[in-house]
Amino acid sequence: SAAPLLTVNNIEVIYNHVILVLKGVSLQLPKGGIVALLGANGAGKTTTLKAISNLLRAERGDITKGHIDYHGERVDQLSPSALVKKGLIQVMEGRHCFGHLTIEENLLTGAYTRSDGGKAIDQDLEKVYSYFPRLKVRRKSQAGYTSGGEQQMTAIGRALMSNPDTILLDEPSMGLAPQLVEEIFEIVHRLNKDMGVSFLIAEQNTNMALRYADYGYILENGRIVMDGPAEKLRENSDVKEFYLGLG
Ligand code: ATP
């Protein structure tokens, strides 16, 4: 079969010279896949995504070992913006919109790495609005005054403006009502099906993530303790007991 789009090989992360947080994490994202990275608070999900998109801070003593291949090329020495140019972008946990900018201005900041002109950017803005009609209605609103759901949509929309083929999505459900979580996962599903965007999604909401993902990895204490097709994980008794709250 074809080589995976993204391969993470035995990543270790040490924070601040001493705190070993990832103890050898390996995972794969196939082209066109939706992969869930699951685990409790503090298991290392965010750290894994940051290691991939090179957002850890070497100057503060964060050390990353292992290697990462993307499109068949080793990328673990590339800067976050070089990765964005190659098509890989992270949507951070907590959304990080520019509160003082409007929704539309926030979306346009996502196009900063692009070298193609205004027309293509306008077309992509319309495309983002077609997936998130709510953002079009609210486009002149200051992002800091919009709802949590609108800010999450803005963060995903802004990532789309870089024309990515891979989005690392950190905890999209955080702080959102169940209906909105479902709305966001539906849009992720459509972006995946229509545009072929591949997703690696870190989630504590195991139930929702496994409904939309093809494959899942479970992280405990900095190690992958289980992985498999989403439907298999949903039926697994340990997953049910510890992660789905079904007993
Ligand atoms: P969450 O859902 O809370 O983001 P997570 O699974 O994403 O959980 P991480 O945020 O990756 O977990 O954190 C993993 C561990 O690393 C935690 O014990 C956390 O306290 C620790 N940690 C995270 N960032 C730092 C840092 N900058 N310096 C030191 N320790 C950190």
Side-chain angles (χ1 to χ4, degrees):
S1 63
L5 178 61
L6 175 71
T7 307
V8 173
N9 283 300
N10 202 23
I11 288 291
E12 287 179 36
V13 170
I14 299 167
Y15 278 121
N16 198 17
H17 298 292
V18 288
I19 310 159
L20 177 63
V21 167
L22 294 189
K23 302 162 185 168
V25 167
S26 298
L27 59 82
Q28 298 189 336
L29 175 63
K31 192 168 174 357
I34 301 182
V35 170
L37 182 60
L38 307 165
N41 190 5
K45 304 181 297 296
T46 297
T47 302
T48 304
L49 298 191
K50 284 184 171 171
I52 297 169
S53 46
N54 210 351
L55 291 168
L56 295 166
R57 307 283 296 275
E59 76 283 6
R60 286 205 205 140
D62 298 346
I63 300 164
T64 310
K65 295 178 193 168
H67 66 270
I68 297 168
D69 293 324
Y70 182 59
H71 284 294
E73 181 195 343
R74 192 159 170 180
V75 295
D76 43 81
Q77 302 303 321
L78 297 184
S79 68
S81 62
L83 288 167
V84 172
K85 282 188 188 144
K86 287 191 177 289
L88 183 142
I89 191 162
Q90 178 163 350
V91 177
M92 307 267 268
E93 183 179 20
R95 311 183 259 273
H96 296 279
C97 291
F98 299 107
H100 58 291
L101 299 182
T102 65
I103 283 185
E104 185 154 291
E105 287 164 348
N106 268 278
L107 294 174
L108 289 170
T109 64
Y112 77 102
T113 53
R114 291 172 56 160
S115 46
D116 51 357
K119 190 138 187 246
I121 289 173
D122 285 347
Q123 280 169 0
D124 283 353
L125 192 59
E126 283 310 316
K127 195 152 74 187
V128 169
Y129 287 144
S130 75
Y131 284 92
F132 298 100
R134 201 194 268 249
L135 295 185
K136 183 160 193 176
V137 175
R138 303 278 274 145
R139 68 189 184 281
K140 300 286 180 215
S141 305
Q142 218 179 311
Y145 293 104
T146 63
S147 71
E150 287 161 349
Q151 290 184 28
Q152 181 64 71
M153 291 175 186
T154 303
I156 297 172
R158 186 175 61 195
L160 288 171
M161 291 299 292
S162 71
N163 240 333
D165 52 32
T166 304
I167 296 182
L168 311 182
L169 192 51
D170 197 359
E171 206 88 44
S173 75
M174 195 173 64
L176 301 184
Q179 197 190 327
L180 260 174
V181 174
E182 175 121 39
E183 199 177 320
I184 297 215
F185 272 91
E186 274 299 324
I187 293 167
V188 164
H189 175 78
R190 285 179 46 215
L191 291 168
N192 173 258
K193 288 288 162 280
D194 308 348
M195 286 171 65
V197 180
S198 306
F199 285 88
L200 176 61
I201 308 179
E203 254 305 340
Q204 282 191 60
N205 188 334
T206 307
N207 189 37
M208 191 65 77
L210 288 180
R211 275 177 47 205
Y212 285 91
D214 321 305
Y215 200 89
Y217 292 86
I218 298 181
L219 201 53
E220 270 177 24
N221 256 311
R223 287 196 174 88
I224 303 288
V225 293
M226 199 187 297
D227 66 285
E231 66 270 25
K232 286 255 163 59
L233 291 179
R234 276 205 310 256
E235 291 161 6
N236 180 284
S237 57
D238 287 339
V239 175
K240 282 184 184 166
E241 181 174 353
F242 298 114
Y243 293 102
L244 291 173
L246 300 176

